[in-house]
Amino acid sequence: MILRIFGMSFVITIAALIAAFFYGGPTAVVLTLILGVLEVSLSFDNAVINATVLRRMSEFWQKMFLTVGIVIAVFGMRLVFPLAVVWLASGLNPIQALDLALNPPANGAEYFADGSPSYETIITDAHPQIAAFGGMFLLMLFLGFIFDDKEITWLSWIERPLIRIGKLEQLPVIIATGLLVITATFIAHEDETATVMIAGALGMITYIAVNGLGEMFHTDDEADDDTRSGPSDLAKVAGKAGFFLFLYLEVLDASFSFDGVIGAFAITADPIIIALGLGLIGAMFVRSLTVFLVRQGTLSDYVYLEHGAHWAIGALAVILMYSIGTPVPEIVTGLVGVVLILASFLSSVLRLRRAKAVETV
């Protein structure tokens, strides 16, 4: 089971390291490996959330996520996305943006001799709008989960009161909008207020649209089962809701990727190494971990993992919004997620032990 699920990830890791060696020698290999480890450590909560969605999808859409989805993750988010940011921010065409990325200023300077900004500087300057979009998308995901009525709660002392007040319609939108206004007004720099507001609003709109479409088709399918015969629910999910769940997963993966892509520039600005480390190694292992969680039924046994992942998402969303005005070290972002996931896992283990103890009595 382990070899079958993670085997391809190990093969691609070896291939990526070999490619890195031929591209930039031993230094490139080390940087690629560091970026791969960074991506996996920062994205465990992403894998848990992906697994909660993936287990609802048919085998066809699961394969699409693991094939087409990985192409989007590697080339779309880790290579094309940074180039697109440079293209839009500087007015350079994609070829010029790639040339800028591959030929940075000497001695790691932020600007060239003619005063034009480097590739890394342009990406870093675009952080406020990137963080606002990703932060709002992830915050909406967190609020949607935490206010939803659930039979099982992890941090019951806070989750149960939140479920009660969550009956107020559109409360997640109200809270997210309020936080966006506070961020744009008091955290973002004065010249970035409008940019942060627009990017954050687009993040919220994207979540509402993609999530709403998925829920609409899923609900319609369930209703159809009671009124007419036809394709099975699984087949209809593959044909309708499956597509929107796939789209939802891709947007979710993109939102998780923002902080990793930006954080990668603290290690290297080379887009090829970033694509090899974050994309090929990191993204592949995150997807393998997602499949492992689904195949092993881990989320059914360790029921608090989903809660811990969502709390980690909420923390990441707040960190992203705060980072618009004040840089936050990647180690902080990673540790917060790891601590919450680990705490929820240990709580799940204790719950299983108590349940087994009761059964043996």
Side-chain angles (χ1 to χ4, degrees), residues 312-333:
I313 287 172
L316 176 58
V318 172
I319 289 172
L320 280 172
M321 301 307 289
Y322 179 76
S323 70
I324 291 174
T326 304
V328 178
E330 286 297 311
I331 187 66
V332 173
T333 305

Side-chain angles (χ1 to χ4, degrees), residues 183-196 324-325:
T183 301
T185 305
F186 300 105
I187 296 179
H189 298 298
E190 187 174 347
D191 59 339
E192 297 171 344
T193 299
T195 301
V196 169
I324 291 174

Side-chain angles (χ1 to χ4, degrees), residues 56 113 127 156 358:
R56 296 163 50 195
H127 175 72
S156 300
V358 171

Side-chain angles (χ1 to χ4, degrees), residues 82-94 96-98 100 116-119 121-123 125-126 129:
L83 293 174
V85 170
V86 174
W87 172 32
L88 295 173
S90 65
L92 300 174
N93 63 48
Q96 291 173 323
L98 180 60
L100 182 67
S116 59
S118 67
Y119 175 83
T121 299
I122 295 173
I123 291 290
D125 289 344
Q129 50 264 51

Side-chain angles (χ1 to χ4, degrees), residues 37 57 122 156 231 243 351:
V37 173
M57 299 166 69
I122 295 173
S156 300
F243 170 74
R351 182 180 184 273

